[in-house]
Amino acid sequence: MTHHLPDWSALREDFPILRQKVHGHPLVYLDNAATSQKPRVVLEALDRFYRHDNSNVHRGIHELSRRATVAFEAARERAAVFLHAREPAEIIFTRGTTEGINLVAHAWGGKNIRSGDTILLTEMEHHSNIVPWQLLAERTGAKLAYVPITGNDGLLELGGLDNLLDNTVKLFAFTHVSNTLGTVNPVADLCARARRRGIVTLVDAAQSAGHRPVDVQEIGCDFLAFSGHKVCGPTGIGVLYGRRELLEGMPPFQGGGDMISSVDYFHSTWKEPPHKFEAGTPDFAAAIGLGVALDYLAAIGCDHIARHDAELAARAMDQLSSLPGLRLFGPRTGHAGVVSFLLQDIHAHDVVTVADQRGVALRGGHHCNQPLMKKLGVESTARASFYFYNTAAEVDVLCETLREIQKFFGA
Ligand code: 7TS
């Protein structure tokens, strides 16, 4: 717990992109679940790196390569501290959450999943935490099973979980925070229940990292993935945490440069983790930028950010529920900074298009949650998602805009 309350309006000044008008209105950026904006320290770190230190990592013996390698490995250490991993070797740099999950599905899944095994997911997963497992199931003959969600408030239905975690289940993969419902799942409890039965766990932290404290030891997970671009970092970089013991037992994901110990024409050997899983030139500049972003967030305090997100979501839900015919999705309390809704029978895309004309950036669609949409009985929702640089005044603009949209469509 960090002690000083952050000065939110001073922090907002760190984001040059937010100071612009869109279609003649001040930008109100409420699409943070898709990607976050970047503070000046991250932009400057990238600029500085490319101007002064750019060189490939782990290869050259010259000064620039040394600097780049030191900065890249320091970013790994920062990520380890951020997630409270036991050591930097448990941190693999990926392109993002999606690649992290695919890495586990290929390397761990390919070795450990057999015909007749079950991979347990939940009904609120993003496509990135469904499709890699479907592909693995097709390759191996394993089955998929889903923890259901409750109809009205979008919580996991945990009453039957212990029955679902039967002895065919080898892996339980679930999201920490739903990108559509804003549900915060009890990840430590889910991991504990799986671990008691020897089941490996993967947490999709795409919507939780940088929004609330994420401590892999406290959560007790085997794997956890998140994306740099959603946590004030650059695009094209992400982190996969893996418990060392599991990483050591896994074959490589991709083959190529930098992941080998030795190669001859017919046989190769691998480096130790994490390098075994980082084939080819990594996006080292982005990793360095991500390290700066993680330090920036840690200085604010992810506990403070969680409270700020929740306050904005509560304010939005409170005001939105006064609009006639508005349908809110997800839990009524304990919400993360993600609010999905539908305005009577106005299509979500129409809501988002008209909001954009007022400078309000929302997202409308299935949010890469098509099975969840089917379960909810809708095609799409409109979604506002918050970060620490958003303000209560912006929530008020959102609600006023939605009121006008209702009038506009005569709903
Ligand atoms: N998992 C969850 C829960 C997500 O919300 C997302 C991205 C991903 C995985 C994939 O992350 P990526 O960085 O590898 O693409 N979610 C969203 C969203 O809600 N709108 O745009 C992207």
Side-chain angles (χ1 to χ4, degrees):
M1 170 78 73
T2 33
H3 295 294
H4 300 292
L5 262 186
D7 179 348
W8 299 114
S9 54
L11 289 169
R12 186 179 167 89
E13 295 300 309
D14 293 339
F15 293 80
I17 201 171
L18 297 176
R19 249 179 282 141
Q20 66 175 292
K21 289 196 168 171
V22 167
H23 303 308
H25 299 269
L27 168 64
V28 175
Y29 183 78
L30 301 180
D31 195 17
N32 294 286
T35 201
S36 73
Q37 299 303 347
K38 321 302 171 197
R40 205 178 284 107
V41 282
V42 170
L43 305 176
E44 286 169 357
L46 290 174
D47 185 69
R48 198 167 48 243
F49 178 76
Y50 279 123
R51 280 177 197 275
H52 298 287
D53 304 326
N54 180 52
S55 181
N56 210 331
V57 293
H58 301 146
R59 286 155 205 243
I61 303 172
H62 56 79
E63 171 62 14
L64 294 197
S65 179
R66 187 196 64 78
R67 279 190 224 153
T69 305
V70 167
F72 179 59
E73 291 304 324
R76 194 189 306 282
E77 282 166 30
R78 284 164 162 174
V81 170
F82 189 78
L83 293 178
H84 196 214
R86 288 166 203 82
E87 49 180 327
E90 294 183 320
I91 301 296
I92 299 164
F93 284 120
T94 62
R95 283 195 300 123
T97 308
T98 303
E99 190 176 72
I101 296 172
N102 276 279
L103 191 160
V104 176
H106 275 265
W108 181 87
K111 182 161 179 195
N112 294 287
I113 296 290
R114 299 269 170 279
S115 175
D117 288 346
T118 303
I119 299 159
L120 185 63
L121 308 170
T122 85
E123 285 183 342
M124 65 172 77
E125 297 311 312
H126 186 278
H127 296 169
S128 293
N129 200 25
I130 297 177
V131 182
W133 307 118
Q134 289 176 342
L135 294 170
L136 175 65
E138 279 167 23
R139 285 195 298 274
T140 58
K143 299 185 301 284
L144 299 180
Y146 289 88
V147 179
I149 58 163
T150 56
N152 291 330
D153 48 8
L155 296 171
L156 289 181
E157 173 61 65
L158 294 177
L161 179 63
D162 289 331
N163 288 336
L164 280 172
L165 289 170
D166 65 27
N167 58 13
T168 68
V169 177
K170 294 293 179 305
L171 178 96
F172 184 19
F174 44 85
T175 195
H176 192 172
V177 169
S178 160
N179 65 313
T180 290
L181 301 167
T183 312
V184 182
N185 288 322
V187 283
D189 177 46
L190 300 182
C191 288
R193 293 213 219 174
R195 195 170 51 242
R196 252 178 259 138
R197 294 165 176 80
I199 296 166
V200 168
T201 49
L202 178 142
V203 176
D204 175 348
Q207 296 295 341
S208 60
H211 284 269
R212 57 187 51 247
V214 173
D215 178 328
V216 291
Q217 295 189 53
E218 212 169 276
I219 292 171
C221 53
D222 293 303
F223 298 105
L224 181 141
F226 75 90
S227 300
H229 70 94
K230 294 188 204 280
V231 299
C232 294
T235 50
I237 192 76
V239 165
L240 173 69
Y241 158 82
R243 216 153 48 72
R244 184 174 187 136
E245 194 188 321
L246 289 171
L247 295 180
E248 280 178 349
M250 283 157 56
F253 170 44
Q254 295 178 333
D258 222 35
M259 47 72 76
I260 55 90
S261 169
S262 72
V263 178
D264 70 25
Y265 283 123
F266 300 103
H267 180 73
S268 303
T269 57
W270 326 125
K271 279 188 181 148
E272 292 297 306
H275 305 293
K276 176 163 78 175
F277 301 104
E278 292 178 357
T281 297
D283 195 341
F284 45 84
I288 291 163
L290 175 59
V292 173
L294 296 181
D295 274 358
Y296 176 81
L297 293 173
I300 299 170
C302 288
D303 45 352
H304 290 309
I305 294 175
R307 211 167 312 121
H308 188 79
D309 278 1
E311 278 167 19
L312 293 184
R315 186 181 183 96
M317 288 171 69
D318 191 42
Q319 293 188 25
L320 291 183
S321 53
S322 72
L323 297 181
L326 185 128
R327 178 172 173 197
L328 275 174
F329 297 86
R332 291 305 107 119
T333 57
H335 225 272
V338 176
V339 177
S340 271
F341 56 91
L342 281 175
L343 272 179
Q344 274 148 320
D345 46 9
I346 309 171
H347 196 284
H349 284 159
D350 292 332
V351 173
V352 173
T353 304
V354 181
D356 176 58
Q357 291 306 309
R358 318 283 160 98
V360 180
L362 302 174
R363 195 171 189 93
H366 54 65
H367 315 296
C368 294
N369 276 141
Q370 283 185 4
L372 174 63
M373 292 293 138
K374 211 176 270 174
K375 171 93 184 186
L376 297 171
V378 296
E379 263 178 33
S380 58
T381 70
R383 182 185 72 183
S385 52
F386 306 105
Y387 214 180
F388 58 89
Y389 40 70
N390 291 124
T391 64
E394 288 183 313
V395 172
D396 299 349
V397 170
L398 165 70
C399 295
E400 191 44 46
T401 304
L402 295 178
R403 204 166 284 130
E404 285 169 22
I405 290 172
Q406 268 195 327
K407 269 194 222 136
F408 179 82
F409 282 97

